[in-house]
Amino acid sequence: MEEIFQHFRKEEQQFIEQVSGWLREVEDRYSPKLTDFLDPRQRFIVEAVMGSTDVQMMTSGIFKDAERQRVLLYPSYFEPQQEDFNITVFELKYPSKFVNLRHPDILGSIMSLGLDRSKFGDIRIDNDRVQLAVMNEISPYLQSNFVSAAKVKVQLNEVTDPIEMIETSEEWTEESYTVSSMRLDTVMSSVYNISRQKAAALIHGGKVKVNWTLQDQPSFELHESDMISSRGFGRVRLIMIEGRTKKDKVRLQIGRLETKN
């Protein structure tokens, strides 16, 4: 376990231990284990911890190219089917002539019901259409209790035809930057073209995530493959540290996300 820990941050150790427990459960019981919805960083950790074990892995978020997906860990004899992921997709019916629901409206309303973020997957919006993926285990509760968002009434209708599910396409553009350090506020200042003070204010204001987790420390040290998302400024992935300049600055290659429905 110590060998795995050294490749990840200290704050990720608890999740690594949880993954190890899942793998032991599959091996000991010789039966599949289905997780909640995991973000891409968490799924990366699952693959890393699996290593050379006999346990196999399959993922699904039901939407095409879903960001958040459930992971099915299973022994070699098991043949997973889509139904094994226990995911329901709902479309929201609401008075779209009077209001346009946004991602934060949906997310905030669901979280206010006391549900953890891991219990539901992607929220997709295409003009006035809104869909979300949820665990079957909570779908009856959500249908009964998720009745309003942004002060308007909503109704959940199940979507069963994959053709009716909203698709999004992601386009990444690559750019190069030179930064004085890998501090979060320093990198944000360069890639978002804002002052370090503005970057620090966003971080302290709870508007910045690193690898899908809120980060409140401007001095947080970034690594290759980290994903930064800041409300109002979009997402950036640190693709590669290309080296250092003669003045000991860091040459950084990044990917910037553009999402199109």
Side-chain angles (χ1 to χ4, degrees):
M1 187 67 74
E2 290 300 324
E3 292 180 2
I4 298 173
F5 281 163
Q6 67 183 1
H7 296 290
F8 295 94
R9 294 186 172 97
K10 187 176 180 180
E11 59 266 26
E12 294 174 323
Q13 291 183 4
Q14 185 177 353
F15 182 70
I16 292 169
E17 290 173 348
Q18 185 178 19
V19 173
S20 297
W22 294 339
L23 295 172
R24 284 195 301 271
E25 186 178 331
V26 174
E27 291 174 325
D28 293 345
R29 298 183 179 179
Y30 207 53
S31 62
K33 168 71 177 178
L34 180 63
T35 73
D36 290 353
F37 285 95
L38 305 182
D39 63 44
R41 177 66 177 180
Q42 290 172 318
R43 298 199 300 274
F44 173 77
I45 292 174
V46 172
E47 288 190 80
V49 177
M50 282 174 62
S52 58
T53 66
D54 292 331
V55 177
Q56 299 185 51
M57 169 183 172
M58 188 172 175
T59 68
S60 175
I62 209 163
F63 287 119
K64 182 181 178 182
D65 300 323
E67 180 176 275
R68 292 180 176 270
Q69 302 183 26
R70 301 190 80 173
V71 173
L72 187 68
L73 301 169
Y74 59 95
S76 56
Y77 80 87
F78 188 79
E79 295 183 3
Q81 306 295 323
Q82 181 61 50
E83 295 76 23
D84 296 319
F85 289 95
N86 295 339
I87 300 173
T88 300
V89 171
F90 287 120
E91 181 153 346
L92 273 67
K93 183 179 179 182
Y94 69 100
S96 55
K97 289 183 179 180
F98 305 105
V99 65
N100 279 328
L101 291 178
R102 301 171 300 119
H103 193 282
D105 299 327
I106 310 301
L107 183 61
S109 298
I110 298 176
M111 300 287 279
S112 70
L113 298 176
L115 293 173
D116 188 82
R117 185 63 184 92
S118 64
K119 302 302 180 185
F120 54 100
D122 284 11
I123 298 169
R124 299 227 165 156
I125 299 177
D126 181 13
N127 295 318
D128 60 351
R129 294 181 68 206
V130 179
Q131 295 178 352
L132 65 151
V134 305
M135 296 167 48
N136 286 359
E137 297 91 319
I138 67 158
S139 60
Y141 174 82
L142 203 62
Q143 262 190 310
S144 299
N145 294 278
F146 184 24
V147 293
S148 67
K151 298 181 180 180
V152 299
K153 290 184 177 180
V154 301
Q155 180 181 325
L156 300 185
N157 297 326
E158 186 174 349
V159 180
T160 56
D161 188 346
I163 296 176
E164 296 297 319
M165 295 180 188
I166 296 172
E167 290 191 14
T168 59
S169 60
E170 293 184 347
E171 185 175 316
W172 290 85
T173 56
E174 295 187 6
E175 303 168 5
S176 296
Y177 289 87
T178 301
V179 296
S180 58
S181 78
M182 292 299 289
R183 281 175 53 116
L184 177 57
D185 59 349
T186 301
V187 173
M188 282 182 59
S189 174
S190 293
V191 301
Y192 292 136
N193 193 26
I194 57 177
S195 68
R196 280 184 60 182
Q197 290 79 6
K198 172 69 173 177
L202 290 168
I203 296 165
H204 287 309
K207 296 182 179 179
V208 177
K209 292 182 179 180
V210 176
N211 298 329
W212 297 271
T213 301
L214 276 175
Q215 180 52 247
D216 60 3
Q217 295 298 319
S219 60
F220 183 81
E221 193 76 8
L222 294 167
H223 298 162
E224 275 187 354
S225 81
D226 281 346
M227 174 81 84
I228 307 170
S229 59
S230 180
R231 200 176 306 168
F233 291 89
R235 293 184 178 184
V236 165
R237 175 178 282 123
L238 309 190
I239 299 174
M240 184 188 303
I241 296 174
E242 297 178 324
R244 289 185 176 270
T245 66
K246 292 180 180 179
K247 294 185 178 180
D248 205 34
K249 290 192 174 184
V250 181
R251 289 198 302 270
L252 194 61
Q253 185 179 0
I254 67 118
R256 193 182 302 275
L257 177 64
E258 296 178 14
T259 304
K260 299 178 180 179
N261 286 332

